[in-house]
Structure formats: structure tokens, C-alpha cells
Amino acid sequence: MRSFSSLLLAGLLAASVTTAQAQTTSAKADSLTIRKIYDEALLRGQSYDNLRYLCQKIGARLSGSPQAALAVQWGKLTMEKANCFDKVYLQECMVPHWVRGAKEKGQIIGNKGKSISVAVCALGGSVATPGNKPLRAGVVEVKSLAELKALPDDAVRGKFIFFNRPFDDRLIEPGAAYGGAGDQRRSGPAEAGRRGAVGALVRSLTAARDNNPHTGATNYGDTPTKVPGAALSTQAADQLSQLLAADPKLEFELEMSCLQLPDEKSYNVVGEVRGSKYPEQVITVGGHLDSWDLAQGAHDDGTGVVQSIEALRLLKAAGLRPERTVRAVLFMNEENGTRGGDKYAELAKQNHETHLAAIESDGGGFTPRGFNVEATPAVFQKVAAWKPLLAPYLSGQLTPGHAGTDIEPLTAAVHPVALFGYDCDSQRYFDLHHSVLDTFEQVNRRELELGGASMAALIYLLGKYGL
């Protein structure tokens, strides 16, 4: 007769074999399902055509603008036409309304009165030059906010502060270089005003060597004196720096007519698919509908918008209904206020919602890499087990890191288990970002459709297995 211990061991071994067989069967089924998602995206994907309309028929859609209002209508109609949502609705929010005004002018003026025109653009949220007229003053070049702080008052007062810290091109990820240089744009004009300067000139946040200035938000905070802030193209910044070294007494002349108008009513656009098994658990996927006003907002963030809609269409086309509730959200006002993301989180908390996860696409529509993940180590390990399913489609790189600005407010509001940021090859992103170059023609169809499928595959896994 076999002993009790041997019988117990045999039972455990049998159970282990059964579990392993079940896991293998499940992995094969998941692999086949994900293949169906990608087949649909690559053969019949709709992201590229949707992006073409958004970019070429509506174009730039800065918060508060008539084009942003048209984009809301387009988003709602496009979701309804996708025929994959149980309901489509709007979430009202008030957003800033800043207007650039007439094309900005910038000139470097030497001590003999000779002038050189250079490429400039107003930073988002900047005030105009006094009276919308040319403002002329000397220039002080610094590489950081700390360097400005160390200067004596007499060296700063009445001058333009020229923030000329370039991207750190040693960094492999351009996003890290963007983060390292970004404080001079966000806070440079405010700090210049605090020190008695008349304005701020900021090197564009890009590694590209070209003549296209890049805009982006600046924030005055509680600065009592607001002074105009403008971005110089990298070529213009290099030229000004070289000429300033040769002639420290040269002057710069800036003319801008931008204006901050009262807040406008706008909306997030939300499409929802109710979960078949756990409808009380919510998965959010989204991108931001607004864009800066210099171009069409293709990579920033038209691609994220159309991918978020497409992800849900792909699931339905593959014959899938998520077990958890999934919402595609087109957030308004990420670029200069995050009012849409704040409102979405506020309503989620107000309605006592349980949010399992949120996914954001706001890094362009380039070749997929995977996802940045914000989660506990235990949750991250569970997600990491899905790498073999995503790797064949170039999206298996799962890395701890920032997920996204619009979904970030959910953390404090409803404590989702995990946040995911769609990650794609970003080497070219900041060449285009916030500049006149961010147009539909810069987006590759296959790369875009692969990204939407990557997001759909992650939603499928989250919806089936939870966290």
C-alpha cells in the first residue's frame, strides 16, 4: 500500500501538470487572439484615415479655439460610426483660451544698427510685448535657472534673458533630454520677470538643427510681473549665442501680439464598452484631443486619439467583448492646462468608480516598443509575464516609468492598480513636437496601425486576466 505522503505527492504532481497544461492552452489561445487583432489592424485598420481627416480637415486645435470645438464633434461622431461602443458621451470642462495673434518677429541688432531676422514663436500662455509693439533690449545668456539666480540684479534688469541649454544628446532616450531642458521653457519667463528682465528667449526643446521654433506651455505662477516669452529655433539660438560672444552689447527686438482670453467651455469625449463579467472594474485608454496651433497636431497627439478609438474597434472586429468595462477617452486641454484629465479623475472619484488600469498614448505614432508601467513590483511582475505574447509584435518592452499626463490624476482620485504609457521609437519625435512640422505626412500608416493593435492587445489581456 502506498503511503499517505506518496499519494499526496502524486496528487500535487498531477495538479501541477494539469495547471501547466491549462496555462499552455491559455497562452496558445491568447496568442491566436492577439494575432487576429493585428491582422485586422494591418489589413483593415482605420486609424490612418481617421487621422487624415482630423489633421487635414480640422487641423490645429488649441484648447478654446473653434477648431477644438470641431474636434470634439468629430471625436463623438467618429466613435459613434465605429459601432463598437455601448455609449458615447461628453464630459464638460472649462479650458484656457490663449490666442497667438499675428506672426511673431525677432531680430538680432548689432552695435552698428545692422539687423538679422531670426525664427521665433511665442510660448503658449505668454503675454504680448507691451502694446503689441516691438520690444528692444540687451541680452544676457544663461544655461540654467540656477545661473540666472546667481547673477546680480544690475546684470539682469532691463534685459532679455536668453536660456540656451541644449538637449543632452548623450542620452539615448530623447524624452530624458526633453525633461532635462524643459524647466527653462516652463519657468524661464516667470523667473526672468521676477528678476526685473523685460523678456525671455528660450532655445527650442529639440535636438534638431533647423530653423523651426517649437512652442509649448510656460507658466507664470504667482509672478507679479509677467514678461513675454519666446522660443528661438535652434539655428537662431546658435546664431544669437555666437554673435553675443563677439558683441556683448548687441540687442534683440521682439514683437508678439498674443492674448489670454476668458476660459471656454469644452469637453472630453468618452466611448464606453460595458464589461461582460466585471462591469464595475474600469480600464481607460486615451490620448489628448487638443494640440498646439503651429501645425496639425499629428504625432502630438492625433495619433494617440485615433489609436484609442481604434483599439476598441479592433477588439470588436476580433469577436471580443472585454470582461471589464473599457473606456476610450479623448482628453481636452493636455497641452496648456490638463483640465480634461483633471475632470475625468474628478468625476471618477465622485461616482465612486473602481479603476483597474489606464493606458495613454502621447508619445507619437512611431514603431511600437512596448509600455511604460507605473505599478507595484508585484503587479509589474504579473504584467511582465505577458511579454512573450507582445514581443512578436515589437511591443514587448515593459519598463517602469511615467505613463501619461492625462491619466496621472487618476492616481490620487481612484488609485488604479496600474498605469501604462504606450511607448514607441521616440528618436524623431522631438524633431516635430510643438512645431510646424507636426503634420499628417510625418506619420507612417503601418507604424500607426501597429500602435493601435499594441494597445488593443494590452486591453484584451487586462480585460481577461485583471491585475
Side-chain angles (χ1 to χ4, degrees), residues 257-449:
S257 58
C258 33
L259 181 65
Q260 188 72 49
L261 297 172
D263 286 359
E264 287 278 347
K265 184 190 294 184
S266 192
Y267 305 89
N268 294 329
V269 187
V270 184
E272 182 174 299
V273 180
R274 188 165 176 79
S276 61
K277 199 169 184 179
Y278 308 104
E280 74 284 356
Q281 297 183 27
V282 179
I283 300 167
T284 295
V285 58
H288 66 85
L289 193 50
D290 61 308
S291 77
W292 283 111
D293 55 328
L294 296 181
Q296 298 172 348
H299 279 287
D300 187 24
D301 183 31
T303 53
V305 165
V306 297
Q307 286 170 334
S308 298
I309 299 172
E310 180 74 351
L312 274 296
R313 191 196 71 80
L314 292 174
L315 292 177
K316 182 173 182 180
L320 302 169
R321 185 171 188 90
E323 294 187 8
R324 274 86 179 167
T325 293
V326 183
R327 291 189 194 135
V329 184
L330 315 185
F331 295 98
M332 181 54 69
N333 183 229
E334 187 273 346
E335 293 293 4
N336 61 339
T338 67
R339 304 277 185 88
D342 290 340
K343 176 59 68 172
Y344 183 73
E346 176 192 323
L347 292 174
K349 182 177 182 179
Q350 181 180 307
N351 295 328
H352 306 289
E353 293 175 351
T354 300
H355 281 248
L356 176 70
I359 306 165
E360 182 167 344
S361 174
D362 187 18
F366 300 102
T367 302
R369 284 183 175 176
F371 296 89
N372 295 323
V373 186
E374 294 183 42
T376 65
V379 171
F380 183 85
Q381 286 304 312
K382 178 161 187 175
V383 172
W386 298 335
K387 283 185 180 183
L389 292 168
L390 300 173
Y393 307 100
L394 310 178
S395 58
Q397 184 173 300
L398 303 173
T399 309
H402 178 62
T405 300
D406 280 314
I407 60 177
E408 188 174 11
L410 287 169
T411 301
V414 291
H415 312 293
V417 179
L419 301 180
F420 299 86
Y422 170 63
D423 185 29
C424 57
D425 186 340
S426 60
Q427 297 303 322
R428 291 172 288 151
Y429 181 59
F430 292 102
D431 293 1
L432 315 172
H433 178 260
H434 295 185
S435 80
V436 297
L437 300 178
D438 190 11
T439 62
F440 174 74
E441 289 75 18
Q442 300 289 345
V443 179
N444 176 273
R445 182 188 67 81
R446 282 184 60 85
E447 291 179 340
L448 177 67
E449 302 292 1

Side-chain angles (χ1 to χ4, degrees), residues 121-159:
C121 72
L123 295 178
S126 174
V127 297
T129 50
N132 296 341
K133 296 188 178 185
L135 172 63
R136 184 168 166 176
V139 180
V140 177
E141 180 177 353
V142 297
K143 291 292 196 296
S144 67
L145 298 176
E147 190 176 334
L148 169 61
K149 188 175 182 179
L151 290 175
D153 290 343
D154 288 347
V156 174
R157 191 176 297 114
K159 303 287 183 66

Side-chain angles (χ1 to χ4, degrees), residues 78-122:
T78 301
M79 283 188 174
E80 290 168 346
K81 283 184 174 179
N83 196 32
C84 60
F85 297 99
D86 295 326
K87 61 179 178 178
V88 178
Y89 55 96
L90 304 179
Q91 292 179 332
E92 181 182 315
C93 56
M94 298 301 292
V95 299
H97 187 191
W98 178 82
V99 179
R100 182 171 300 278
K103 184 172 177 55
E104 307 88 336
K105 297 177 183 177
Q107 293 187 88
I108 302 170
I109 301 173
N111 57 12
K112 294 183 180 180
K114 289 186 177 180
S115 64
I116 302 171
S117 293
V118 293
V120 298
C121 72

Side-chain angles (χ1 to χ4, degrees), residues 13-25:
L13 287 172
S16 177
V17 170
T18 302
T19 300
Q21 289 173 338
Q23 289 175 340
T24 301
T25 301

Side-chain angles (χ1 to χ4, degrees), residues 168-224:
D168 184 349
D169 280 340
R170 297 170 302 171
L171 299 174
I172 301 303
E173 288 293 341
Y178 178 75
D183 62 347
Q184 59 191 343
R185 187 200 72 201
R186 293 189 303 271
S187 305
E191 295 305 315
R194 282 195 179 94
R195 296 298 311 279
V198 298
L201 307 171
V202 181
R203 183 187 186 91
S204 286
L205 301 186
T206 178
R209 272 69 165 178
D210 62 21
N211 221 20
N212 299 303
H214 295 232
T215 191
T218 195
N219 184 4
Y220 291 108
D222 59 359
T223 308

